[in-house]
């Protein structure tokens, strides 16, 4: 009797176990099916969002991609796509929230940091933008993406230069130079960035490296000419610029100014006494015209001439002494004339518009010799 009861209870327990196992299997199968259905729905929403983005319908893209991310919350690809759609729709605050959430999960992810950097650039936030750029640069980059990493550092440098951060830009430029492929295009890019950062010497070295690799590269000739001009090497600047096929308006003006400097510098070496005197006379005449025109402009606006009056007095005093014969026998008088011309051109450039390439040439001649008024 007792054995029959035990046997019945064992059978009941076994039945319950079988029922539980079947129920668990069914639930698991149902959950798996439900999960696969949600995954398919999320993928469908993602594809729809991508199509809407390509069609320029950012609001629809945001709606469908939000549906995808709400279903697949851990899917990084969907989150990045949503951030792109939010930016396209002008929802920048929401875009940043998505990106910050992603970064909290993967702080060293270069792509997320880059997107945050560009978002901060767009919002005009210098320090956070630089921090995110640097986080991206020092994150994990696969071997096949080193070119992309260099391009990103160049992007940061260009941003710093645009923001007036020359010192920071130079630091990044030196890092970029240490990791530069030996190609003419790379040297040209770096030369241009060094020039923008105010380091004309390193700029010229990069453009010369480009020319060694590509002797007919007109971009390198133009860059080398611009860098030589900034270094005050005007004859060399002209030689480089003559080999560049298509000069920008700025470079054409630099070429013209370099020619004027070489033709009108009274303190250049190996000039005859007559030629030195001729140059002083020509330069002094131009400075006198510039000063007279500027004083007339100031008077027309009822402004006090001030310093210009004093310069006019100095012009009146030196002009009779700067006759050809006196200049030929007085190097000190030549230097005094160059200094006065520089002071006139400096004062008029600050007071009056209308400076010509000749005026700029006279300014640079004075700077070249360290005029006393600098």
């Amino acid at each position: 009797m007792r054995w029959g009861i035990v046997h019945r209870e064992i059978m009941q327990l076994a039945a319950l176990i079988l029922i539980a196992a079947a129920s668990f299997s069914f639930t698991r199968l149902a959950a798996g099916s439900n999960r696969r259905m949600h995954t398919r729905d999320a993928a469908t929403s993602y594809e729809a969002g991508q199509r809407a983005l390509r069609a320029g319908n950012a609001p629809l893209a945001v709606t469908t991609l939000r549906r995808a991310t709400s279903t697949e919350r851990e899917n990084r690809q969907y989150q990045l796509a949503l951030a792109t759609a939010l930016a396209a729709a002008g929802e920048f605050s929401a875009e940043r929230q998505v990106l910050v959430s992603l970064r909290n999960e993967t702080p060293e992810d270069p792509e997320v940091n880059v997107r945050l950097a560009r978002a901060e650039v767009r919002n005009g936030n210098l320090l956070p933008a630089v921090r995110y750029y640097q986080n991206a640069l020092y994150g994990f980059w696969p071997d096949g993406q080193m070119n992309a990493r260099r391009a990103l550092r160049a992007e940061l440098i260009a941003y710093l230069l645009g923001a007036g951060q020359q010192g920071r830009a130079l630091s990044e430029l030196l890092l970029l130079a240490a990791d530069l492929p030996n190609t003419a295009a790379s040297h040209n890019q770096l030369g241009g960035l060094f020039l923008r950062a105010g380091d004309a010497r390193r700029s010229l070295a990069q453009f010369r490296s480009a020319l060694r690799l590509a002797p007919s590269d007109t971009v390198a000739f133009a860059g080398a000419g611009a860098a030589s001009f900034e270094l005050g090497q005007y004859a060399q600047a002209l030689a480089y610029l003559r080999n560049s096929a298509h000069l920008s308006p700025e470079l054409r003006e630099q070429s013209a100014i370099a020619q004027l400097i070489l033709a009108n510098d009274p303190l250049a070496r190996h000039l005859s006494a007559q030629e030195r005197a001729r140059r002083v006379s020509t330069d002094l005449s131009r400075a006198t015209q510039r000063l007279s025109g500027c004083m007339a402009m100031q008077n027309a606006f009822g402004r006090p001439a001030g310093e210009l009056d004093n310069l006019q007095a100095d012009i009146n005093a030196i002009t009779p002494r700067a006759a050809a014969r006196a200049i030929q026998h007085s190097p000190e008088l030549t230097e005094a004339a160059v200094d006065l011309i520089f002071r006139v051109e400096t004062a008029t450039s600050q007071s009056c518009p209308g400076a010509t390439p000749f005026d700029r040439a006279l300014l640079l001649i004075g700077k070249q010799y360290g005029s006393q008024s600098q």
Side-chain angles (χ1 to χ4, degrees):
M1 181 70 177
R2 183 175 297 174
W3 167 247
I5 294 172
V6 171
H7 182 265
R8 187 167 56 250
E9 289 177 349
I10 289 172
M11 293 301 293
Q12 289 174 347
L13 179 60
L16 288 172
I17 290 172
L18 287 172
I19 292 169
S23 177
F24 175 77
S25 296
F26 177 78
T27 303
R28 186 175 181 182
L29 286 171
S33 176
N34 191 48
R35 174 64 181 165
R36 286 192 294 274
M37 182 179 67
H38 284 173
T39 299
R40 284 195 302 270
D41 289 345
T44 299
S45 296
Y46 170 75
E47 293 298 333
Q50 294 292 73
R51 285 195 300 273
L53 265 179
R54 289 193 292 269
N57 192 341
L60 177 59
V62 168
T63 300
T64 52
L65 288 168
R66 274 185 170 144
R67 189 180 305 129
T69 54
S70 67
T71 304
E72 293 280 320
R73 297 182 183 276
E74 306 301 319
N75 191 308
R76 175 180 175 277
Q77 182 182 10
Y78 294 178
Q79 295 283 350
L80 287 172
L82 175 59
T84 300
L86 288 166
E91 297 184 36
F92 301 123
S93 178
E95 174 209 15
R96 190 178 185 281
Q97 288 177 357
V98 172
L99 292 172
V100 168
S101 176
L102 279 170
R103 188 180 183 277
N104 289 338
E105 297 171 8
T106 53
E108 296 184 356
D109 186 320
E111 184 176 2
V112 173
N113 279 292
V114 167
R115 289 192 179 211
L116 279 167
R118 289 169 181 166
E120 297 296 354
V121 168
R122 185 179 58 236
N123 294 330
N125 299 325
L126 174 69
L127 293 179
V130 173
R131 184 174 68 250
Y132 286 127
Y133 269 122
Q134 290 178 334
N135 286 338
L137 287 167
Y138 294 105
F140 173 73
W141 290 78
D143 290 341
Q145 295 187 22
M146 290 301 102
N147 286 339
R149 185 171 180 266
R150 281 189 286 267
L152 182 65
R153 193 180 296 279
E155 180 181 322
L156 169 58
I157 292 165
Y159 171 60
L160 289 169
L161 290 172
Q165 301 288 311
Q166 271 75 11
R168 286 185 175 186
L170 276 171
S171 297
E172 295 292 338
L173 270 167
L174 293 174
L175 292 172
L176 182 60
D179 187 36
L180 193 72
N182 191 30
T183 65
S186 296
H187 288 298
N188 282 336
Q189 180 191 34
L190 195 60
L193 290 170
F194 270 125
L195 192 59
R196 287 182 60 192
D199 193 335
R201 196 167 302 282
R202 283 193 173 97
S203 172
L204 180 58
Q206 291 297 327
F207 287 122
R208 282 175 170 167
S209 294
L211 286 169
R212 282 193 290 272
L213 293 167
S216 301
D217 191 324
T218 60
V219 173
F221 275 122
S228 298
F229 184 90
E230 293 299 323
L231 291 169
Q233 299 171 5
Y234 301 114
Q236 179 176 270
L238 275 179
Y240 281 128
L241 292 174
R242 286 186 184 122
N243 284 284
S244 187
H246 303 291
L247 296 180
S248 67
E250 181 181 3
L251 287 177
R252 282 198 296 272
E253 184 176 28
Q254 286 186 351
S255 179
I257 291 169
Q259 292 179 61
L260 286 166
I261 290 170
L262 295 173
N264 293 281
D265 179 1
L267 297 176
R269 295 179 179 179
H270 310 304
L271 294 179
S272 67
Q274 294 83 359
E275 175 61 14
R276 198 176 304 278
R278 185 198 68 76
R279 293 186 178 196
V280 169
S281 176
T282 300
D283 296 353
L284 194 58
S285 174
R286 172 56 201 163
T288 301
Q289 293 173 13
R290 174 72 167 142
L291 181 60
S292 298
C294 188
M295 291 179 70
M297 187 180 298
Q298 295 296 307
N299 291 334
F301 286 102
R303 299 170 185 162
E307 181 188 1
L308 300 183
D309 281 332
N310 296 332
L311 289 170
Q312 183 63 62
D314 291 342
I315 287 279
N316 293 339
I318 202 172
T319 299
R321 298 167 53 212
R325 187 174 296 278
I327 284 288
Q328 290 179 33
H329 297 285
S330 177
E332 294 79 8
L333 186 56
T334 299
E335 292 174 4
V338 169
D339 182 69
L340 176 56
I341 291 165
F342 175 78
R343 289 189 288 120
V344 167
E345 293 293 345
T346 300
T348 53
S349 67
Q350 294 168 353
S351 303
C352 300
T356 66
F358 198 173
D359 293 310
R360 286 193 60 196
L362 295 178
L363 264 176
L364 291 172
I365 289 170
K367 286 182 179 180
Q368 191 173 16
Y369 294 109
S371 291
Q372 297 174 10
S373 55
Q374 292 188 65

